[in-house]
Amino acid sequence: IFTHIEVLKSSLSNHHQIEVTTNFKTNNRDINNKIPNYGGETDFWQLNFHNDNVSWSKINKEINDIPWHILFNEKNTETCINILLSCLLMLCIKLIPRKKPRSKSKIPRERKKLLNRMKMLKREKHRTYSKLKGKMLEKKIHETETMLIHHRKEERRTKEKKVIENMKNNPKVLFDYINNQKDRDSKIG
């Protein structure tokens, strides 16, 4: 199964990396591309309730203006729930914007380019027979790794700046950021 085994120095860690290449292929695309099915609630899931432009006072006014007692008069509970859901759905579709489609990956474009460059350089190093060219490619891999580290640090700084700027307006942003950092284990075992 293994076609190539290589031990690489890494500037990302104090440890060496053991890279194993196989000829075994998995079908990850089928697993990752499955869209979760939420049943009849999919229309609500497509709406962005956290958007700043949502006018909740207008939505409340619209809900209060609906003659509920006339709509629900002499109907069973199941029918009333269906009427309620359809009315709320029509209101929400009319007054709440849709969510923007997310990209397939949460990895920033620049970092993805660096990761692809590293993959390409490792592949090229694997194919070379010359030790001189192999050392040159290894140096390029180290440079790419340092660029990757720099990009991650910059991303962390910009996130922290955004949290600090929005802290007064929305204190939950700070607590969300702290809780996300608390769950991460940054130590090397």
Side-chain angles (χ1 to χ4, degrees):
I1 295 175
F2 302 118
T3 58
H4 185 68
I5 298 171
E6 189 174 7
V7 178
L8 303 168
K9 288 183 179 180
S10 173
S11 57
L12 297 173
S13 169
N14 296 340
H15 300 269
H16 293 311
Q17 292 178 345
I18 299 174
E19 194 168 290
V20 180
T21 309
T22 68
N23 57 5
F24 184 74
K25 293 184 180 180
T26 59
N27 201 355
N28 289 339
R29 291 182 182 168
D30 293 343
I31 297 167
N32 294 334
N33 289 339
K34 287 185 180 176
I35 299 169
N37 187 8
Y38 298 105
E41 304 166 337
T42 51
D43 294 326
F44 284 110
W45 282 96
Q46 293 173 355
L47 301 174
N48 185 4
F49 290 97
H50 299 288
N51 193 318
D52 294 334
N53 298 331
V54 175
S55 173
W56 290 104
S57 57
K58 190 174 182 180
I59 291 171
N60 285 332
K61 184 181 178 297
E62 293 271 343
I63 290 172
N64 289 331
D65 290 345
I66 295 174
W68 296 109
H69 58 283
I70 295 170
L71 289 172
F72 295 151
N73 193 16
E74 297 180 12
K75 292 185 175 104
N76 64 6
T77 310
E78 188 176 337
T79 311
C80 291
I81 290 173
N82 289 335
I83 292 170
L84 173 70
L85 285 175
S86 62
C87 289
L88 290 177
L89 181 62
M90 287 190 308
L91 268 172
C92 290
I93 288 174
K94 185 170 80 173
L95 299 173
I96 296 175
R98 288 189 174 275
K99 288 181 183 176
K100 293 179 181 174
R102 289 186 177 181
S103 63
K104 293 178 185 175
S105 170
K106 293 183 181 181
I107 300 171
R109 180 176 283 149
E110 186 178 332
R111 193 182 313 158
K112 195 179 273 189
K113 284 181 182 177
L114 290 171
L115 291 169
N116 286 337
R117 181 171 187 239
M118 269 183 41
K119 195 186 297 182
M120 179 204 64
L121 289 170
K122 285 179 182 178
R123 191 181 309 133
E124 194 174 334
K125 183 183 174 222
H126 168 68
R127 289 181 185 153
T128 58
Y129 294 107
S130 166
K131 287 185 179 182
L132 182 67
K133 190 171 182 181
K135 289 193 180 214
M136 187 183 73
L137 288 169
E138 199 169 302
K139 185 179 177 185
K140 284 184 181 180
I141 290 170
H142 282 290
E143 289 172 1
T144 309
E145 286 176 343
T146 54
M147 289 167 61
L148 220 143
I149 292 169
H150 178 71
H151 182 265
R152 285 183 178 147
K153 283 181 182 177
E154 283 299 315
E155 185 182 26
R156 198 175 306 127
R157 281 191 197 123
T158 54
K159 270 187 185 176
E160 288 173 358
K161 282 182 183 179
K162 285 181 183 178
V163 168
I164 290 169
E165 289 170 1
N166 296 327
M167 202 165 47
K168 286 186 179 180
N169 299 335
N170 188 3
K172 288 183 180 181
V173 171
L174 173 67
F175 294 113
D176 288 342
Y177 180 75
I178 290 170
N179 286 333
N180 286 340
Q181 297 303 315
K182 184 175 65 176
D183 293 340
R184 288 187 181 159
D185 188 15
S186 59
K187 298 173 191 163
I188 298 174

